[in-house]
Amino acid sequence: MAWGAFDKLRKGLRKTRDGIVGRLGDIFGGRVRLDPETLDAIEEMLISADLGVQASLRITRSIEKRVKEEGGESSLESVLEVIRKDITATLRDAKPRIKVRSWDEAGDDSPKKKGKKGRKLEREPETVPEIRPGVPQVIFVVGVNGTGKTTTIAKLAHYYKQEGRKVMVAAGDTFRAAAVEQLTIWADRIGVDCIQQGQNADPAAVVFDALQAAEARGHDLVIVDTAGRLHTKSSLMDELGKVARVIHKKIGRDPETLLVVDANTGQNGLQQAKVFAETVPVDGLVLTKLDGTAKGGIVVAIAETLGLPVLWIGVGETVEDIAPFDPEIFARALFSDGEGETTTA
Ligand code: GDP
């Protein structure tokens, strides 16, 4: 990651960092002593940043061990290193804990269907979408309304356009007129094609149209918006599954599915993510609005609870405010003292 990007990430994560690193610094003045009050305070700070109880307890125990090893008193940097190491490992080693594996069995809670023979939409174990000539890669963006889905699509479109890809967006959230309109405006602004059929159009038809157009015009990436109403698992699956099947038929494989989660919604966001991930096959998460929260630790709680990889994080409202997620860089941006901070804004 370029220096400028790391700096931006650090700034975006300032609220959470101030909440933990700042408070640790204020309380201990750079030295951490081994006593129950200190350990309680550390644990409480980690929990308040939404890292989850399990991770907070584990990290506090590791800190206790480190301080003991260092003779009963450690530097703040030494403590931060323990936190960084734990978080990097937790995020890197997260293994999916969600059962849904393909669009074919998605939305069905019955275990018998999981072993069904002749399943057409089986996903490969590792979804690493490669670019195939003449066949566009499709990113399918799902999530509850208001989480930042449309903005994320614009950010991804902009990111990939900068990378030299020929990007198209498809306004598949036809339930909300504003969603179609907003995506069209973003597409215009960043200079990518947008396929839309207005409000109440059939999302599957919009996506079919988009894929036809992408093939005809030589686009290599189509990013699809979807409806974000969360009523019941089956209606969610009906809506999303129909579109996913159109994509599969057209490109010969499942789309890469990204679930957008608003970091500000904390434990609620985690629950939402769980419902989605149990209903449709999610490849990874985009965690948005990390800049607006002091609870950026939710990334860790999500990795521990769902085991789904966080692939992108959103740290602001402009199209530039997105970063590919890297556990080590994230841990360093969140839990380091002063390094790389060029302004305090
Ligand atoms: P959608 O309903 O899920 O499509 O959500 P939108 O993309 O319309 O976003 C909802 C609001 O969240 C808008 O005001 C966005 O500007 C804002 N937003 C989206 N992503 C971020 C982010 O990473 N940081 C901040 N601060 N705001 C964001």
Side-chain angles (χ1 to χ4, degrees), residues 143-152 155 173 176 179 182 186 225 260 262 264 287-292 313-317 321:
V144 175
N145 292 336
T147 51
K149 215 159 14 94
T150 316
T151 314
T152 296
K155 287 174 177 178
D173 180 2
R176 297 183 297 165
Q182 210 189 334
W186 271 120
D225 194 9
V260 179
D262 178 346
N264 282 279
L287 213 61
T288 59
K289 311 187 197 180
L290 269 168
D291 53 307
I313 53 174
V315 287
E317 291 184 275
D321 295 324

Side-chain angles (χ1 to χ4, degrees), residues 37-317:
E37 292 89 63
T38 303
L39 293 171
D40 280 354
I42 291 173
E43 190 185 306
E44 188 249 309
M45 269 175 239
L46 295 171
I47 290 175
S48 72
D50 251 357
L51 267 90
V53 175
Q54 202 182 325
S56 302
L57 288 172
R58 187 184 60 241
I59 293 171
T60 307
R61 273 200 303 273
S62 302
I63 291 173
E64 182 178 12
K65 190 163 165 260
R66 168 69 69 94
V67 181
K68 259 186 201 152
E69 281 163 10
E70 294 182 355
E73 190 176 299
S74 290
S75 64
L76 179 60
E77 176 46 32
S78 190
V79 167
L80 291 176
E81 195 199 335
V82 173
I83 303 177
R84 283 197 298 269
K85 268 199 179 146
D86 182 292
I87 284 177
T88 305
T90 304
L91 293 170
R92 190 168 281 158
D93 301 341
K95 296 271 182 305
R97 288 161 196 250
I98 301 295
K99 287 193 205 90
V100 174
R101 267 185 289 278
S102 83
W103 283 101
D104 200 31
E105 64 189 6
D108 186 346
D109 288 333
S110 71
K112 62 181 182 324
K113 210 175 175 194
K114 309 257 186 304
K116 202 174 88 168
K117 284 208 176 105
R119 191 166 58 212
K120 288 201 193 80
L121 301 181
E122 184 82 47
R123 288 197 313 163
E124 279 116 41
E126 291 283 314
T127 312
V128 185
E130 85 281 24
I131 303 169
R132 285 193 260 159
V135 183
Q137 178 197 341
V138 179
I139 300 179
F140 198 45
V141 184
V142 304
V144 175
N145 292 336
T147 51
K149 215 159 14 94
T150 316
T151 314
T152 296
I153 291 168
K155 287 174 177 178
L156 289 173
H158 175 73
Y159 180 92
Y160 282 116
K161 188 182 177 215
Q162 302 286 98
E163 299 264 290
R165 307 282 299 270
K166 200 164 174 212
V167 185
M168 173 182 278
V169 296
D173 180 2
T174 55
F175 188 73
R176 297 183 297 165
V180 177
E181 200 179 307
Q182 210 189 334
L183 194 64
T184 312
I185 294 169
W186 271 120
D188 240 26
R189 211 182 288 166
I190 54 184
V192 300
D193 283 354
C194 176
I195 297 294
Q196 57 102 356
Q197 294 179 358
Q199 194 183 8
N200 296 326
D202 176 1
V206 174
V207 171
F208 185 81
D209 220 23
L211 295 178
Q212 294 274 66
E215 272 177 34
R217 300 183 208 164
H219 288 77
D220 56 40
L221 176 62
V222 179
I223 308 177
V224 178
D225 194 9
T226 59
R229 289 165 297 154
L230 191 62
H231 10 246
T232 62
K233 281 189 182 191
S234 63
S235 58
L236 177 71
M237 183 51 209
D238 282 350
E239 286 187 26
L240 300 179
K242 193 174 162 203
V243 184
R245 276 185 277 276
V246 166
I247 297 169
H248 189 97
K249 215 165 170 186
K250 204 85 184 77
I251 66 169
R253 62 170 178 229
D254 285 352
E256 182 188 4
T257 304
L258 298 182
L259 171 63
V260 179
V261 179
D262 178 346
N264 282 279
T265 51
Q267 296 301 317
N268 267 345
L270 183 65
Q271 278 314 309
Q272 268 174 20
K274 195 159 180 281
V275 172
F276 262 91
E278 283 171 350
T279 312
V280 300
V282 172
D283 293 295
L285 303 176
V286 182
L287 213 61
T288 59
K289 311 187 197 180
L290 269 168
D291 53 307
T293 178
K295 295 179 177 294
I298 193 74
V299 176
V300 179
I302 286 180
E304 288 215 319
T305 313
L306 303 183
L308 286 170
V310 177
L311 300 178
W312 299 90
I313 53 174
V315 287
E317 291 184 275

